[in-house]
């Protein structure tokens, strides 16, 4: 998929998610939070599908030239991010579904913090390289 | 779908530095939010209380830092003679920051009990910015 197509897919899933979220917050009759997160699950499923395809299809990434993010060592980074994102969403949905769970609040936030710290670690090296140049 | 860093820079029009600032702010914000939800700190829900604003303060600080960064970039681009690029970049960044900040202010006022706006009205700036982002996505090659 080209960058435009990927960007529009993500955009569409975000719009649908935000519309569902707004309806959920606005109305008194609550739906399942797992259902509200459905567009994001679908987006994650698509990402997982691309990761699997890139692993199975070729090592040289000839078929993935439009998606450098799914090539070589980046595949591993993307896989970890995708996994942490899914875990963070699952814990968040669990908390929202069960208003009085035994799970302490920092357990809910732990995957989110890990994800953010991991993203910060990814963002810093290009920034340092840019300022060194 | 996930993107490479450079792809995100092209799509969203944010620099890597701005992304870093927003990520750090988000981390601090989630820590403050966890403290509030756990009833450890910033727990007041009375209308006059500043606790909700304190929880959201890292995000506002990030916006201020990004605005300062954008002003510096604008001045530098102008001095180097890239006037058209400077104007386009500043208009986009200012629009993003303004709409995003507006959403946070509306949300804070609602959570602090200062307004009775519906969530659809609070989310309207986000939908506006999503339209702008969609237009930008269509311009990508």
């Amino acid at each position: 998929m080209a960058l435009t197509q990927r960007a529009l897919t993500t955009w569409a899933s975000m719009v649908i998610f935000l519309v569902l979220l707004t309806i959920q917050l606005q109305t008194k009759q609550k739906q399942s939070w797992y259902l509200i997160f459905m567009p994001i699950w679908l987006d994650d499923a698509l990402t997982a599908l691309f990761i699997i395809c890139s692993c199975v299809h070729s090592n040289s990434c000839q078929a993935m030239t439009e998606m450098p993010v799914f090539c070589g060592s980046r595949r591993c980074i993307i896989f970890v991010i995708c996994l942490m994102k899914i875990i963070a969403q699952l814990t968040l949905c669990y908390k929202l579904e069960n208003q009085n769970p035994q799970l302490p609040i920092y357990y809910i936030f732990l995957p989110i913090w890990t994800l953010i710290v991991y993203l910060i670690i990814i963002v810093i090296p290009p920034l340092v390289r840019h300022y060194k140049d | 779908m996930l993107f490479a860093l450079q792809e995100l820079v092209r799509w969203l029009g944010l620099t890597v530095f701005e992304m870093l600032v927003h990520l750090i702010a988000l981390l601090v914000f989630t820590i403050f939010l966890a403290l509030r939800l756990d009833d450890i700190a910033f727990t007041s829900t009375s209308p006059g209380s500043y606790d909700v604003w304190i929880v959201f303060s890292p995000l506002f600080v990030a916006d201020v830092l990004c605005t300062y960064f954008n002003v510096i970039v604008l001045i530098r681009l102008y001095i180097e003679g890239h006037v058209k690029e400077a104007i386009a970049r500043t208009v986009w960044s200012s629009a993003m920051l303004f709409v995003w900040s507006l959403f946070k202010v509306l949300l804070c006022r609602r959570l602090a009990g200062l307004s009775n706006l519906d969530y659809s009205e609070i989310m309207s700036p986000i939908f506006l910015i999503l339209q702008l982002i969609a237009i930008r996505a269509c311009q990508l090659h």
Side-chain angles (χ1 to χ4, degrees), chain A residues 123 127 131, chain B residues 14-22 65-66 69:
Chain A
V123 164
L127 198 65
Y131 282 100
Chain B
L14 287 172
T15 58
V16 182
F17 175 74
E18 284 173 289
M19 282 183 203
L20 180 68
V21 170
H22 283 301
L65 283 175
C66 286
F69 175 74

Side-chain angles (χ1 to χ4, degrees), chain B residues 9-103:
Chain B
V9 168
R10 277 178 60 202
W11 180 26
L12 300 177
L14 287 172
T15 58
V16 182
F17 175 74
E18 284 173 289
M19 282 183 203
L20 180 68
V21 170
H22 283 301
L23 280 172
I24 293 169
L26 191 64
L27 182 66
V28 180
F29 164 71
T30 49
I31 291 168
F32 282 6
L33 189 65
L35 291 174
R36 181 180 165 89
L37 293 175
D38 240 355
D39 290 336
I40 295 171
F42 321 121
T43 52
S44 174
T45 50
S46 59
S49 167
Y50 289 106
D51 283 358
V52 175
W53 297 92
I54 293 169
V55 171
F56 276 80
S57 61
L59 301 178
F60 289 117
V61 170
D63 284 346
V64 171
L65 283 175
C66 286
T67 309
Y68 177 62
F69 175 74
N70 284 323
V71 169
I72 291 170
V73 172
L74 169 71
I75 292 167
R76 287 194 65 165
L77 282 173
Y78 182 76
I79 289 169
E80 287 169 11
H82 308 291
V83 181
K84 222 173 174 180
E85 193 187 336
I87 292 169
R89 197 190 175 286
T90 309
V91 167
W92 172 255
S93 302
S94 310
M96 284 271 279
L97 283 169
F98 174 73
V99 175
W100 189 230
S101 303
L102 182 66
F103 163 70

Side-chain angles (χ1 to χ4, degrees), chain A residues 89-102:
Chain A
Q89 284 164 201
L90 273 175
T91 48
L92 192 63
C93 281
Y94 177 77
K95 168 72 182 167
L96 291 167
E97 276 291 307
N98 308 291
Q99 285 302 317
N100 297 309
Q102 298 300 319

Side-chain angles (χ1 to χ4, degrees), chain A residues 4 6 11 26 43 105 113, chain B residues 1 7 30 38 118 130 140:
Chain A
T4 310
R6 275 186 292 146
W11 176 83
Q26 194 100 21
D43 198 41
I105 199 80
W113 289 331
Chain B
M1 195 74 68
E7 289 175 341
T30 49
D38 240 355
D118 288 336
L130 278 171
L140 292 169

